[in-house]
Amino acid sequence: SSSLPASPNSPYYSLQLAEKYDYEENRFLQAVQDAGMEYYSVTLLVNSDDTLRLQVARDIAEMLRAGGLKIYVEGKLYREGKE
């Protein structure tokens, strides 16, 4: 699995950056607490017409919740978001 937003098979993947910024759950949890973010909530607004984006947003929210953040996903139709 990759700790960067690029596949290890991609020419844009940097092994040096991956080693420097490797994900460690305990460090993430500590950073959330140090920043006082456990007291905030965030809503991800997603185009509900696109079921893939909606599912990805739900997956991301679930991962962030596991890290102690309060994350909600709200799906809106594309035309509603333009008003």
Side-chain angles (χ1 to χ4, degrees):
S1 129
S2 173
S3 58
L4 298 177
S7 166
N9 298 325
S10 167
Y12 303 107
Y13 188 81
S14 168
L15 187 56
Q16 287 178 322
L17 287 177
E19 290 171 353
K20 181 176 180 180
Y21 296 107
D22 193 24
Y23 176 73
E24 293 179 27
E25 184 175 357
N26 291 334
R27 284 180 53 197
F28 177 77
L29 294 172
Q30 188 62 52
V32 168
Q33 290 175 352
D34 290 349
M37 293 299 293
E38 70 270 28
Y39 303 109
Y40 292 91
S41 66
V42 174
T43 299
L44 300 176
L45 184 59
V46 183
N47 177 359
S48 62
D49 289 333
D50 188 331
T51 57
L52 178 60
R53 286 181 189 220
L54 192 55
Q55 186 56 53
V56 168
R58 288 177 179 148
D59 292 344
I60 290 170
E62 189 60 36
M63 287 184 253
L64 293 172
R65 281 187 206 113
L69 298 174
K70 295 178 182 124
I71 307 291
Y72 305 96
V73 176
E74 181 179 344
K76 283 200 173 255
L77 296 173
Y78 178 74
R79 59 190 164 278
E80 289 177 4
K82 296 188 89 170
E83 296 174 356

Coordinates of all heavy atoms in Angstrom, one line a residue:
S1 N 0.8 -1.2 0.0 CA 0.0 0.0 0.0 C 0.9 1.2 0.0 O 2.0 1.2 0.5 CB -0.9 -0.1 1.2 OG -0.9 1.0 2.0
S2 N 0.3 2.3 -0.5 CA 1.1 3.5 -0.7 C 0.7 4.5 0.4 O -0.4 4.7 0.7 CB 0.8 4.1 -2.1 OG 1.4 5.4 -2.2
S3 N 1.7 5.3 0.8 CA 1.4 6.4 1.8 C 1.3 7.7 1.1 O 1.1 8.7 1.7 CB 2.5 6.4 2.9 OG 3.8 6.6 2.3
L4 N 1.5 7.7 -0.2 CA 1.4 8.9 -1.0 C 0.2 8.8 -2.0 O -0.2 7.7 -2.2 CB 2.7 9.1 -1.8 CG 4.0 9.3 -1.0 CD1 5.2 9.4 -2.0 CD2 3.9 10.5 -0.2
P5 N -0.2 10.0 -2.5 CA -1.4 9.9 -3.4 C -1.0 9.5 -4.8 O -1.6 9.9 -5.8 CB -1.9 11.3 -3.4 CG -0.7 12.2 -3.1 CD 0.1 11.3 -2.2
A6 N 0.0 8.7 -4.9 CA 0.4 8.1 -6.2 C 0.8 6.7 -6.0 O 1.3 6.3 -5.0 CB 1.6 8.9 -6.8
S7 N 0.5 5.9 -7.0 CA 0.8 4.5 -7.0 C 2.4 4.3 -7.0 O 3.1 5.0 -7.7 CB 0.2 3.8 -8.2 OG 0.8 2.5 -8.3
P8 N 2.9 3.3 -6.3 CA 4.3 3.0 -6.3 C 4.7 2.6 -7.8 O 5.9 2.7 -8.1 CB 4.5 1.8 -5.4 CG 3.3 1.9 -4.5 CD 2.2 2.5 -5.2
N9 N 3.8 2.3 -8.6 CA 4.1 2.0 -10.0 C 4.2 3.2 -10.9 O 4.6 3.1 -12.1 CB 3.1 1.0 -10.6 CG 3.1 -0.3 -9.8 OD1 4.2 -0.8 -9.4 ND2 2.0 -0.9 -9.7
S10 N 3.8 4.3 -10.4 CA 3.7 5.6 -11.1 C 5.1 6.2 -11.2 O 5.9 6.2 -10.3 CB 2.8 6.6 -10.4 OG 3.0 7.9 -11.0
P11 N 5.4 6.9 -12.4 CA 6.7 7.6 -12.5 C 6.8 8.8 -11.5 O 7.9 9.3 -11.3 CB 6.8 8.0 -13.9 CG 5.4 8.0 -14.4 CD 4.6 7.0 -13.6
Y12 N 5.7 9.2 -11.0 CA 5.6 10.3 -10.0 C 5.8 9.9 -8.6 O 5.9 10.8 -7.7 CB 4.3 11.1 -10.2 CG 4.1 11.6 -11.6 CD1 3.2 10.9 -12.4 CD2 4.8 12.6 -12.1 CE1 3.0 11.3 -13.7 CE2 4.7 13.0 -13.5 CZ 3.7 12.4 -14.2 OH 3.5 12.8 -15.5
Y13 N 5.9 8.6 -8.3 CA 6.1 8.1 -7.0 C 7.5 8.4 -6.5 O 8.5 8.1 -7.2 CB 5.7 6.7 -6.9 CG 5.7 6.1 -5.5 CD1 4.5 6.3 -4.7 CD2 6.7 5.4 -5.0 CE1 4.5 5.8 -3.5 CE2 6.7 4.9 -3.7 CZ 5.5 5.1 -2.9 OH 5.5 4.6 -1.7
S14 N 7.7 8.9 -5.3 CA 9.0 9.1 -4.8 C 9.2 8.3 -3.5 O 8.5 8.4 -2.5 CB 9.1 10.6 -4.4 OG 10.3 10.8 -3.6
L15 N 10.1 7.3 -3.6 CA 10.4 6.5 -2.5 C 10.9 7.3 -1.3 O 10.5 7.0 -0.1 CB 11.4 5.4 -2.8 CG 11.7 4.3 -1.8 CD1 10.4 3.6 -1.4 CD2 12.7 3.3 -2.3
Q16 N 11.7 8.3 -1.5 CA 12.2 9.2 -0.5 C 11.0 9.9 0.3 O 11.0 9.9 1.5 CB 13.1 10.2 -1.0 CG 14.5 9.7 -1.4 CD 15.4 10.8 -2.0 OE1 14.9 11.7 -2.7 NE2 16.6 10.7 -1.7
L17 N 10.1 10.4 -0.5 CA 8.9 11.0 0.2 C 8.1 10.0 0.9 O 7.6 10.3 2.0 CB 8.1 11.8 -0.8 CG 8.7 13.1 -1.4 CD1 7.7 13.6 -2.4 CD2 8.9 14.1 -0.3
A18 N 7.9 8.8 0.3 CA 7.1 7.8 1.0 C 7.7 7.4 2.3 O 7.0 7.1 3.3 CB 7.0 6.6 0.1
E19 N 9.1 7.3 2.4 CA 9.7 6.9 3.6 C 9.6 8.1 4.7 O 9.4 7.8 5.8 CB 11.2 6.6 3.4 CG 11.3 5.2 2.6 CD 12.7 5.0 2.2 OE1 13.6 5.8 2.3 OE2 13.0 3.9 1.7
K20 N 9.7 9.3 4.2 CA 9.7 10.5 5.1 C 8.3 10.7 5.6 O 8.1 11.0 6.8 CB 10.1 11.7 4.3 CG 10.1 13.0 5.2 CD 10.7 14.1 4.4 CE 10.7 15.4 5.3 NZ 11.2 16.5 4.6
Y21 N 7.2 10.4 4.8 CA 5.9 10.7 5.2 C 5.0 9.5 5.4 O 3.8 9.5 5.2 CB 5.2 11.7 4.2 CG 5.9 13.0 4.2 CD1 6.7 13.4 3.1 CD2 5.7 13.9 5.2 CE1 7.3 14.6 3.1 CE2 6.4 15.1 5.2 CZ 7.1 15.5 4.1 OH 7.8 16.7 4.1
D22 N 5.6 8.4 5.7 CA 4.9 7.1 5.9 C 3.8 7.3 7.0 O 4.1 8.0 8.0 CB 5.9 6.0 6.3 CG 5.2 4.7 6.2 OD1 4.3 4.5 5.4 OD2 5.7 3.7 6.9
Y23 N 2.7 6.7 6.8 CA 1.6 6.9 7.7 C 1.8 6.0 8.9 O 2.1 4.8 8.9 CB 0.3 6.5 7.0 CG -0.9 6.5 8.0 CD1 -1.5 7.7 8.4 CD2 -1.5 5.3 8.5 CE1 -2.5 7.7 9.3 CE2 -2.5 5.3 9.3 CZ -3.1 6.5 9.7 OH -4.1 6.6 10.6
E24 N 1.7 6.7 10.1 CA 1.7 6.0 11.4 C 0.5 6.4 12.2 O 0.3 7.6 12.5 CB 3.0 6.3 12.1 CG 4.3 5.8 11.5 CD 5.5 6.2 12.2 OE1 5.4 6.4 13.5 OE2 6.5 6.3 11.6
E25 N -0.4 5.4 12.4 CA -1.7 5.8 13.1 C -1.5 6.5 14.4 O -2.2 7.5 14.6 CB -2.5 4.5 13.3 CG -3.8 4.8 13.9 CD -4.7 3.5 14.1 OE1 -4.2 2.4 13.7 OE2 -5.8 3.7 14.6
N26 N -0.5 6.1 15.2 CA -0.4 6.8 16.5 C 0.1 8.3 16.3 O -0.3 9.1 17.1 CB 0.7 6.0 17.4 CG 0.1 4.7 17.9 OD1 -1.1 4.5 18.0 ND2 1.0 3.8 18.1
R27 N 0.9 8.5 15.4 CA 1.4 9.9 15.1 C 0.2 10.7 14.6 O 0.0 11.9 14.9 CB 2.5 9.9 14.0 CG 3.8 9.5 14.7 CD 4.9 9.6 13.7 NE 5.0 10.9 13.0 CZ 5.7 11.0 11.8 NH1 6.3 10.0 11.3 NH2 5.8 12.2 11.3
F28 N -0.7 10.1 13.8 CA -1.9 10.8 13.3 C -2.8 11.2 14.4 O -3.3 12.3 14.6 CB -2.6 10.0 12.2 CG -3.9 10.6 11.8 CD1 -3.8 11.7 10.8 CD2 -5.1 10.2 12.2 CE1 -5.0 12.3 10.4 CE2 -6.3 10.8 11.8 CZ -6.2 11.8 10.8
L29 N -3.1 10.2 15.3 CA -4.0 10.4 16.4 C -3.4 11.5 17.3 O -4.1 12.4 17.8 CB -4.2 9.1 17.2 CG -4.9 8.0 16.5 CD1 -4.9 6.7 17.3 CD2 -6.3 8.4 16.2
Q30 N -2.1 11.5 17.6 CA -1.4 12.5 18.4 C -1.5 13.9 17.7 O -1.8 14.9 18.4 CB 0.0 12.2 18.7 CG 0.7 13.1 19.7 CD 0.0 13.0 21.0 OE1 -0.2 11.9 21.6 NE2 -0.3 14.2 21.6
A31 N -1.4 14.0 16.4 CA -1.5 15.2 15.7 C -2.9 15.8 15.8 O -3.1 17.0 15.9 CB -1.0 15.0 14.3
V32 N -3.9 14.9 15.7 CA -5.3 15.4 15.8 C -5.5 16.0 17.2 O -6.1 17.0 17.3 CB -6.2 14.2 15.6 CG1 -7.7 14.6 16.0 CG2 -6.2 13.8 14.1
Q33 N -5.0 15.3 18.2 CA -5.2 15.8 19.6 C -4.4 17.1 19.8 O -4.9 18.0 20.4 CB -4.7 14.7 20.6 CG -5.7 13.6 20.6 CD -5.2 12.5 21.6 OE1 -4.1 12.5 22.1 NE2 -6.0 11.5 21.8
D34 N -3.1 17.1 19.3 CA -2.3 18.3 19.5 C -2.9 19.5 18.8 O -2.8 20.7 19.3 CB -0.9 18.1 18.9 CG -0.1 17.1 19.7 OD1 -0.5 16.7 20.9 OD2 1.0 16.7 19.2
A35 N -3.6 19.3 17.7 CA -4.2 20.4 17.0 C -5.6 20.8 17.5 O -6.2 21.7 17.1 CB -4.3 20.1 15.5
G36 N -6.1 20.0 18.5 CA -7.4 20.2 19.0 C -8.5 19.9 18.1 O -9.7 20.4 18.2
M37 N -8.2 19.1 17.1 CA -9.2 18.8 16.0 C -10.3 17.8 16.4 O -11.3 17.7 15.7 CB -8.5 18.3 14.8 CG -7.6 19.3 14.1 SD -8.5 20.7 13.5 CE -9.5 20.0 12.2
E38 N -10.1 17.2 17.5 CA -11.2 16.2 18.0 C -12.4 17.0 18.4 O -13.5 16.4 18.6 CB -10.7 15.3 19.1 CG -10.4 16.0 20.4 CD -9.0 16.5 20.6 OE1 -8.3 16.9 19.6 OE2 -8.6 16.6 21.8
Y39 N -12.4 18.3 18.5 CA -13.5 19.1 18.9 C -14.3 19.7 17.7 O -15.2 20.4 17.8 CB -13.1 20.2 19.8 CG -12.4 19.6 21.1 CD1 -11.1 19.8 21.3 CD2 -13.1 18.9 22.0 CE1 -10.4 19.3 22.4 CE2 -12.5 18.4 23.1 CZ -11.2 18.6 23.3 OH -10.5 18.1 24.4
Y40 N -13.8 19.5 16.5 CA -14.3 20.0 15.3 C -15.0 18.9 14.5 O -14.7 17.8 14.6 CB -13.2 20.6 14.4 CG -12.6 21.8 14.9 CD1 -11.5 21.7 15.7 CD2 -13.1 23.1 14.7 CE1 -10.8 22.9 16.2 CE2 -12.5 24.2 15.2 CZ -11.4 24.1 16.0 OH -10.8 25.2 16.5
S41 N -16.0 19.4 13.6 CA -16.6 18.4 12.7 C -16.5 19.0 11.3 O -16.4 20.3 11.1 CB -18.0 18.2 13.0 OG -18.8 19.3 12.9
V42 N -16.4 18.2 10.3 CA -16.2 18.6 8.9 C -17.2 17.8 8.1 O -17.5 16.6 8.3 CB -14.8 18.3 8.4 CG1 -14.7 18.5 6.9 CG2 -13.8 19.0 9.2
T43 N -17.9 18.5 7.2 CA -18.8 17.9 6.3 C -18.2 17.9 4.9 O -17.8 18.9 4.4 CB -20.2 18.6 6.2 OG1 -20.7 18.5 7.6 CG2 -21.1 17.9 5.3
L44 N -18.1 16.7 4.3 CA -17.6 16.6 2.9 C -18.8 16.7 2.0 O -19.8 15.9 2.1 CB -16.9 15.2 2.7 CG -15.7 14.9 3.5 CD1 -15.2 13.5 3.3 CD2 -14.6 16.0 3.3
L45 N -18.9 17.7 1.2 CA -20.0 17.9 0.2 C -19.6 17.2 -1.1 O -18.6 17.5 -1.7 CB -20.2 19.4 0.0 CG -21.4 19.8 -0.8 CD1 -22.7 19.2 -0.2 CD2 -21.5 21.3 -0.9
V46 N -20.4 16.3 -1.5 CA -20.1 15.5 -2.7 C -21.3 15.4 -3.7 O -22.4 15.4 -3.3 CB -19.8 14.0 -2.2 CG1 -19.4 13.2 -3.4 CG2 -18.7 14.0 -1.2
N47 N -21.0 15.4 -4.9 CA -22.0 15.3 -6.0 C -22.6 13.9 -5.9 O -22.0 12.9 -6.1 CB -21.3 15.5 -7.4 CG -22.2 15.3 -8.5 OD1 -23.4 15.0 -8.3 ND2 -21.7 15.4 -9.7
S48 N -23.9 13.9 -5.5 CA -24.6 12.6 -5.3 C -25.0 11.9 -6.6 O -25.4 10.8 -6.6 CB -25.8 12.8 -4.4 OG -26.7 13.6 -5.0
D49 N -24.8 12.7 -7.7 CA -25.1 12.0 -9.1 C -24.0 11.0 -9.4 O -24.1 10.2 -10.2 CB -25.1 13.1 -10.2 CG -26.3 14.0 -10.1 OD1 -27.4 13.5 -9.6 OD2 -26.2 15.1 -10.6
D50 N -22.8 11.2 -8.8 CA -21.6 10.4 -9.1 C -21.5 9.4 -7.9 O -20.9 9.7 -6.9 CB -20.4 11.3 -9.2 CG -19.2 10.5 -9.7 OD1 -19.1 9.3 -9.4 OD2 -18.3 11.1 -10.4
T51 N -22.0 8.2 -8.1 CA -22.0 7.2 -7.0 C -20.6 6.8 -6.6 O -20.3 6.5 -5.4 CB -22.8 6.0 -7.4 OG1 -22.3 5.4 -8.6 CG2 -24.3 6.3 -7.6
L52 N -19.6 6.8 -7.5 CA -18.2 6.5 -7.2 C -17.7 7.5 -6.2 O -17.1 7.2 -5.2 CB -17.4 6.3 -8.4 CG -15.9 6.0 -8.2 CD1 -15.8 4.7 -7.4 CD2 -15.1 6.0 -9.5
R53 N -17.8 8.8 -6.6 CA -17.3 9.9 -5.7 C -18.0 9.8 -4.3 O -17.3 10.0 -3.3 CB -17.6 11.2 -6.3 CG -16.7 11.5 -7.5 CD -16.9 12.9 -8.0 NE -16.2 13.1 -9.2 CZ -15.6 14.2 -9.6 NH1 -15.6 15.2 -8.8 NH2 -14.9 14.3 -10.7
L54 N -19.3 9.5 -4.3 CA -20.0 9.4 -3.0 C -19.4 8.3 -2.2 O -19.2 8.5 -1.0 CB -21.5 9.3 -3.3 CG -22.4 9.4 -2.2 CD1 -22.3 10.8 -1.5 CD2 -23.9 9.2 -2.6
Q55 N -19.2 7.2 -2.8 CA -18.6 6.0 -2.0 C -17.2 6.3 -1.6 O -16.8 6.0 -0.4 CB -18.6 4.8 -2.9 CG -18.2 3.5 -2.1 CD -19.0 3.3 -0.8 OE1 -20.3 3.3 -0.9 NE2 -18.4 3.2 0.3
V56 N -16.4 7.0 -2.4 CA -15.0 7.3 -2.0 C -15.0 8.3 -0.8 O -14.3 8.1 0.1 CB -14.2 7.9 -3.2 CG1 -12.9 8.5 -2.7 CG2 -14.0 6.8 -4.2
A57 N -15.9 9.3 -0.9 CA -16.1 10.2 0.2 C -16.5 9.5 1.5 O -16.0 9.8 2.6 CB -17.1 11.3 -0.1
R58 N -17.4 8.5 1.4 CA -17.8 7.8 2.6 C -16.6 7.0 3.1 O -16.4 6.9 4.4 CB -18.9 6.8 2.2 CG -20.2 7.6 2.0 CD -21.3 6.7 1.6 NE -22.6 7.4 1.5 CZ -23.5 7.1 0.6 NH1 -23.4 6.0 -0.2 NH2 -24.6 7.8 0.5
D59 N -15.8 6.4 2.2 CA -14.6 5.6 2.7 C -13.6 6.5 3.4 O -13.1 6.1 4.4 CB -14.0 4.9 1.5 CG -14.9 3.8 0.9 OD1 -15.8 3.3 1.6 OD2 -14.6 3.3 -0.2
I60 N -13.4 7.7 2.8 CA -12.4 8.6 3.4 C -12.9 9.1 4.7 O -12.2 9.1 5.7 CB -12.2 9.8 2.5 CG1 -11.4 9.4 1.2 CG2 -11.5 11.0 3.2 CD1 -11.4 10.4 0.1
A61 N -14.2 9.4 4.8 CA -14.8 9.8 6.1 C -14.6 8.7 7.2 O -14.3 9.0 8.3 CB -16.3 10.1 5.9
E62 N -14.9 7.5 6.8 CA -14.7 6.4 7.7 C -13.3 6.2 8.2 O -13.1 6.0 9.4 CB -15.2 5.1 7.1 CG -15.3 3.9 8.1 CD -16.3 4.1 9.2 OE1 -17.3 4.8 9.0 OE2 -16.0 3.7 10.3
M63 N -12.3 6.4 7.3 CA -10.9 6.3 7.8 C -10.6 7.5 8.7 O -9.9 7.3 9.7 CB -10.0 6.4 6.5 CG -10.0 5.1 5.7 SD -8.8 5.2 4.4 CE -9.9 5.3 3.0
L64 N -11.1 8.7 8.4 CA -10.8 9.8 9.3 C -11.5 9.7 10.6 O -11.0 10.1 11.6 CB -11.1 11.1 8.6 CG -10.3 11.4 7.3 CD1 -10.9 12.6 6.6 CD2 -8.8 11.7 7.8
R65 N -12.7 9.1 10.6 CA -13.4 8.9 11.9 C -12.6 7.9 12.8 O -12.5 8.1 14.0 CB -14.8 8.3 11.6 CG -15.8 9.3 11.2 CD -17.2 8.7 11.1 NE -18.0 9.4 10.2 CZ -18.4 8.9 9.0 NH1 -18.2 7.7 8.7 NH2 -19.1 9.7 8.2
A66 N -12.0 6.9 12.2 CA -11.2 6.0 12.9 C -10.0 6.7 13.5 O -9.4 6.3 14.6 CB -10.7 4.9 12.0
G67 N -9.6 7.9 13.0 CA -8.5 8.7 13.5 C -9.0 9.7 14.5 O -8.2 10.5 15.0
G68 N -10.2 9.6 14.9 CA -10.7 10.5 15.9 C -11.4 11.8 15.4 O -11.8 12.6 16.2
L69 N -11.5 11.9 14.1 CA -12.2 13.1 13.6 C -13.7 12.9 13.4 O -14.1 11.8 13.2 CB -11.5 13.5 12.3 CG -10.1 13.9 12.3 CD1 -9.5 14.1 10.9 CD2 -9.8 15.1 13.2
K70 N -14.4 14.0 13.5 CA -15.9 13.9 13.2 C -16.1 14.4 11.8 O -16.0 15.6 11.5 CB -16.6 14.9 14.2 CG -16.5 14.4 15.7 CD -17.2 15.4 16.6 CE -17.0 14.9 18.0 NZ -16.4 15.9 18.8
I71 N -16.4 13.4 10.9 CA -16.5 13.7 9.5 C -17.9 13.2 9.1 O -18.3 12.1 9.4 CB -15.4 12.9 8.7 CG1 -14.0 13.2 9.2 CG2 -15.6 13.2 7.2 CD1 -13.6 14.6 9.0
Y72 N -18.6 14.0 8.3 CA -19.9 13.7 7.8 C -19.8 13.8 6.3 O -19.0 14.6 5.7 CB -20.9 14.6 8.4 CG -21.0 14.6 9.9 CD1 -20.3 15.6 10.6 CD2 -21.6 13.6 10.5 CE1 -20.3 15.5 12.0 CE2 -21.6 13.5 11.9 CZ -20.9 14.5 12.6 OH -20.9 14.5 14.0
V73 N -20.6 13.1 5.6 CA -20.7 13.1 4.1 C -22.1 13.6 3.8 O -23.1 13.0 4.2 CB -20.4 11.8 3.5 CG1 -20.6 11.8 2.0 CG2 -19.0 11.3 3.8
E74 N -22.2 14.6 2.9 CA -23.5 15.1 2.4 C -23.5 15.0 0.9 O -22.7 15.7 0.3 CB -23.8 16.5 2.9 CG -25.1 17.0 2.5 CD -25.4 18.4 3.0 OE1 -24.7 18.9 3.9 OE2 -26.3 19.0 2.4
G75 N -24.4 14.2 0.4 CA -24.5 14.2 -1.1 C -25.5 15.2 -1.6 O -26.6 15.3 -1.0
K76 N -25.2 16.0 -2.6 CA -26.1 16.9 -3.2 C -26.0 16.7 -4.7 O -25.0 16.4 -5.3 CB -25.7 18.3 -2.9 CG -26.0 18.8 -1.5 CD -26.0 20.3 -1.5 CE -26.5 20.8 -0.2 NZ -27.8 21.3 -0.2
L77 N -27.2 16.9 -5.3 CA -27.2 16.9 -6.8 C -26.4 18.0 -7.3 O -26.3 19.1 -6.7 CB -28.6 17.0 -7.3 CG -29.6 15.8 -6.9 CD1 -31.0 16.1 -7.3 CD2 -29.1 14.5 -7.5
Y78 N -25.7 17.7 -8.4 CA -24.8 18.7 -9.0 C -25.5 20.1 -9.2 O -24.9 21.1 -8.8 CB -24.2 18.2 -10.3 CG -23.3 19.2 -11.0 CD1 -22.1 19.4 -10.6 CD2 -23.8 19.9 -12.1 CE1 -21.2 20.3 -11.2 CE2 -23.0 20.8 -12.8 CZ -21.7 21.0 -12.3 OH -20.9 21.9 -12.9
R79 N -26.7 20.1 -9.7 CA -27.4 21.4 -10.0 C -27.7 22.1 -8.7 O -27.8 23.3 -8.7 CB -28.6 21.1 -10.9 CG -29.6 20.2 -10.3 CD -30.7 19.8 -11.3 NE -31.5 18.7 -11.0 CZ -31.1 17.4 -11.1 NH1 -30.0 17.2 -11.7 NH2 -31.9 16.4 -10.7
E80 N -27.9 21.4 -7.6 CA -28.2 22.1 -6.3 C -27.0 22.8 -5.8 O -27.1 23.9 -5.2 CB -28.6 21.0 -5.3 CG -30.0 20.4 -5.5 CD -30.3 19.4 -4.4 OE1 -29.5 19.1 -3.5 OE2 -31.3 18.7 -4.6
G81 N -25.8 22.3 -6.0 CA -24.6 22.9 -5.6 C -24.2 24.2 -6.3 O -23.4 25.0 -5.9
K82 N -24.8 24.4 -7.5 CA -24.5 25.6 -8.3 C -25.4 26.8 -7.9 O -25.2 27.9 -8.4 CB -24.7 25.2 -9.8 CG -23.8 24.2 -10.3 CD -23.8 24.0 -11.7 CE -22.9 25.0 -12.3 NZ -22.5 24.9 -13.6
E83 N -26.4 26.6 -7.1 CA -27.3 27.7 -6.7 C -26.7 28.6 -5.6 O -25.9 28.2 -4.9 CB -28.6 27.1 -6.2 CG -29.3 26.3 -7.3 CD -30.6 25.6 -6.7 OE1 -30.8 25.6 -5.5 OE2 -31.3 25.0 -7.6

